[in-house]
Amino acid sequence: MEARPSQNPTATPTAARNRPAAAARTVLLRGGTVHSPADPFATALVVEDGTVAWVGAEGAADAHAGAVDAVVDLRGRLVTPAFVDAHVHTTMTGLSLTGLDLTGCDSAADLLDRLARHARATTPGTILVGHGWDDSRWTRPGLPTAADLDRVTGGAPVLLTRVDAHSALASTALLRLAPEAADLPGHGAGGLLTAAAHHAARRAVEGALTAAQRAEAQRAALARAASLGIAAVHECAGPDISSEEDLRALLELAAGQGGEEGRALPEVVAYWGETAGALGTASAVGERVRDLGARGLGGDLFVDGSLGSRTAALRTPYSDPGCLRGHRGTFHLTPEAIAEHLRLCTEAGVQAGFHAIGDAAVDAVLDGLEETAERLGLPAVRALRHRVEHAELLDDSAVARCAALGVVLSVQPAFDAAWGAPGGMYERRLGAERAARMNPFAALLRAGVPLAFGSDAPVTPLGPWETVRAAAFHHRPEHRISARAAFSAHTRGGHRAVGDDLAGVLVPGAPAHLAVWRAGELVVQAPDARVAGWSTDPRSGTPGLPDVHPDAALPDCVATLVAGRPAHVAADAAEFAEAWGLGG
């Protein structure tokens, strides 16, 4: 696996990393609708050697039919660029898919009941991992204690992460696996862990996984992504998240022919959340990135925590009564460490990034970027497309600064869908005025800030069309963007965030990362009715997309191609596997 961080990493195409070897077959897909800027009325395309070789109309497809290895009848289905999930924790997502799902628990009693049933169905001695509880939605307040977890599981090691993945409930046996947690910040009474104590517990769980368990979890997550039309994920790893062993195993899996029955797996673009200051020099930063096979030092390099766990760093205190008076969240990095990280990464030609949710945390990152630009020049900073993950609470000044500095924001619209409604968690934590500023997607696009959409799975589930819907139908109308802009941020935006300006659209010469959908009527949805009205006129040449209105049924994924090879084929679409000579 190749990484080129030291000279011009923005020139490294996504297709060159972790790509399974493209099948030496040329396949014509015809008889559908192809979402392509090359031809807004296209019905067919040719995939050759992992790239899009031709896009056009049905009449012209006849000329290609005799020169290809196989022809697939799309039967009216929609072909689009495949999605990129720009923020994922693959192993944790897989463990959530194969472990205990606590989404929808409405009380401590409900959580304990689910845990007890899961424990009875699990081999004794196994670490019990669960995810998804959200006490901000519980009808009866109060968290279970470590003693409660011990009681319903017979003393098994248990770690149950909150939905935001910034705090967790741990049993007594689990805490014995991470004895250092007792002396770290965030070790609370009753087994609730946040901050450094939570990180220690997560590392203990990850370290206890066997190679087979890890591989099973990673395969499950990547297979789920492929089944949803996702051809690439950005893995946000780091020493406070998992381990080098976990990251290297994931990259090795993705680089090989790791899919079931010879199918491809989604590409993995890796970020490692280690501070450059810990490495000392720019040359050491470059060497570290090359050794890991990572795209950059960033992802979940924590500046702050989360709003749900009251650890996002704010300019002014939290508003909810459940928080200590005057509490403004938690800073995990000092301004000096942030600036040093950005300086060393920029000198090394390595993309840097941070996890920053609260307005004070975002301020600290932007301050560090401006300091770096003063020392090394604004062009050097802008060229690397340094990233901020989440960046939820921004005012107009922060938006303008992001645009000026060339920052890429990796954001998660599903957060608003989960917590942004009137009376929801955002409003309870921040008050109505600040909550109204959360996730201002429209303002960011107007300012020219590049957006890359993701899920932060397992915090919110993998679900790209749900993400597009959440951005197009934000709880605050002034923050809504068109479905087309949201779709672009979740496809092309993910590739651009890693320096690949070619992938993410279906045009000749682009990597054949594409998805085939069973969809209803194609429409144009925009916040401004006048824009939508013109865009639906055939003279505009605007390709339509599936209806993502909250009342509409979202598309089903029929097939996903990664660099021209099937990664997912639905049960009723075996012709896609047959065209590439794969198992059904």
Side-chain angles (χ1 to χ4, degrees):
M1 182 174 49
E2 183 179 4
R4 308 174 199 166
S6 58
Q7 296 300 318
N8 184 14
T10 62
T12 306
T14 305
R17 290 183 304 274
N18 311 328
R19 188 176 77 179
R25 294 177 67 81
T26 303
V27 178
L28 169 65
L29 309 179
R30 65 183 304 181
T33 299
V34 179
H35 186 92
S36 170
D39 183 346
F41 307 108
T43 63
L45 78 163
V46 172
V47 174
E48 180 179 16
D49 193 27
T51 64
V52 177
W54 171 82
V55 178
E58 197 63 28
D62 292 335
H64 294 274
V68 299
D69 298 311
V71 178
V72 174
D73 183 0
L74 292 169
R75 293 184 278 166
R77 295 159 173 155
L78 171 67
V79 183
T80 72
F83 288 103
V84 177
D85 194 309
H87 192 114
V88 168
H89 305 288
T90 306
T91 303
M92 288 177 61
T93 299
L95 291 173
S96 297
L97 291 169
T98 58
L100 175 59
D101 182 7
L102 296 171
T103 305
C105 283
D106 62 7
S107 65
D110 186 12
L111 179 149
L112 291 170
D113 183 60
R114 295 191 193 194
L115 176 60
R117 292 198 303 269
H118 181 66
R120 289 194 293 270
T122 303
T123 303
T126 302
I127 294 179
L128 305 179
V129 177
H131 174 78
W133 59 271
D134 184 357
D135 55 323
S136 73
R137 298 176 180 269
W138 285 4
T139 55
R140 287 167 284 176
L143 296 174
T145 65
D148 294 326
L149 305 185
D150 298 342
R151 173 174 52 80
V152 301
T153 63
V158 180
L159 188 72
L160 308 178
T161 53
R162 194 181 184 280
V163 64
D164 58 12
H166 282 268
S167 56
L169 300 168
S171 69
T172 302
L174 191 285
L175 291 171
R176 283 197 290 266
L177 295 177
E180 70 276 20
D183 299 319
L184 292 173
H187 184 271
L192 177 66
L193 306 176
T194 62
H198 176 223
H199 297 159
R202 281 169 54 161
R203 288 194 297 270
V205 169
E206 195 277 331
L209 294 175
T210 66
Q213 288 172 322
R214 178 182 290 110
E216 179 188 11
Q218 292 174 347
R219 286 180 189 276
L222 294 176
R224 176 64 174 165
S227 76
L228 296 170
I230 297 170
V233 300
H234 296 180
E235 168 68 13
C236 292
D240 288 335
I241 299 292
S242 51
S243 67
E244 290 185 39
E245 180 185 7
D246 182 81
L247 180 61
R248 294 180 192 278
L250 175 62
L251 291 174
E252 182 178 355
L253 176 67
Q257 306 296 320
E260 295 294 329
E261 299 170 328
R263 288 175 171 77
L265 288 172
E267 293 184 347
V268 176
V269 179
Y271 288 88
W272 180 250
E274 180 178 14
T275 58
L279 300 169
T281 65
S283 61
V285 169
E287 179 58 34
R288 179 64 163 155
V289 170
R290 285 190 290 273
D291 176 63
L292 287 168
R295 177 61 179 75
L297 289 185
D300 272 346
L301 177 53
F302 296 113
V303 175
D304 67 347
S306 73
L307 290 168
S309 293
R310 302 183 181 90
T311 51
L314 306 179
R315 295 174 184 167
T316 56
Y318 282 82
S319 300
D320 62 309
C323 195
L324 292 174
R325 184 177 179 86
H327 179 63
R328 299 188 185 192
T330 304
F331 269 102
H332 294 290
L333 292 175
T334 65
E336 293 77 16
I338 293 169
E340 182 182 37
H341 181 78
L342 289 164
R343 176 181 62 81
L344 289 172
C345 285
T346 303
E347 288 176 346
V350 167
Q351 189 182 32
F354 298 95
H355 163 118
I357 286 180
D359 47 10
V362 173
D363 288 344
V365 174
L366 296 176
D367 290 346
L369 282 163
E370 288 172 346
E371 180 179 327
T372 303
E374 289 176 4
R375 296 184 62 167
L376 304 178
L378 181 60
V381 169
R382 290 181 59 90
L384 287 167
R385 309 184 191 191
H386 295 310
R387 291 173 55 143
V388 180
E389 310 296 320
H390 315 311
E392 292 196 84
L393 186 55
L394 304 100
D395 59 12
D396 291 343
S397 173
V399 170
R401 295 171 75 192
C402 286
L405 292 160
V407 176
V408 174
L409 297 188
S410 170
V411 295
Q412 293 72 42
F415 288 3
D416 176 74
W419 301 300
M425 187 269 286
Y426 288 162
E427 192 169 299
R428 293 198 299 276
R429 294 288 190 268
L430 302 175
E433 182 179 351
R434 280 187 296 177
R437 297 185 357 233
M438 295 289 290
N439 300 300
F441 304 132
L444 289 164
L445 286 182
R446 285 195 301 269
V449 178
L451 300 181
F453 283 176
S455 64
D456 197 12
V459 174
T460 58
L462 297 167
W465 285 113
E466 289 83 355
T467 294
V468 172
R469 168 184 282 170
F473 292 92
H474 193 294
H475 281 105
R476 301 287 303 189
E478 66 270 26
H479 298 329
R480 292 174 181 171
I481 61 176
S482 69
R484 184 182 181 194
F487 180 79
S488 179
H490 215 345
T491 51
R492 195 172 193 182
H495 294 290
R496 284 178 164 175
V498 299
D500 187 344
D501 291 329
L502 179 61
V505 289
L506 300 181
V507 296
H513 305 315
L514 61 87
V516 182
W517 306 94
R518 191 181 296 108
E521 180 184 3
L522 303 184
V523 299
V524 175
Q525 290 174 311
D528 188 322
R530 294 169 297 174
V531 175
W534 162 245
S535 297
T536 54
D537 189 306
R539 292 171 296 174
S540 74
T542 303
L545 286 168
D547 187 356
V548 295
H549 188 277
D551 294 332
L554 294 176
D556 293 322
C557 186
V558 174
T560 303
L561 302 189
V562 177
R565 292 186 63 241
H568 165 72
V569 176
D572 61 348
E575 63 270 23
F576 287 91
E578 293 169 1
W580 274 267
L582 302 178

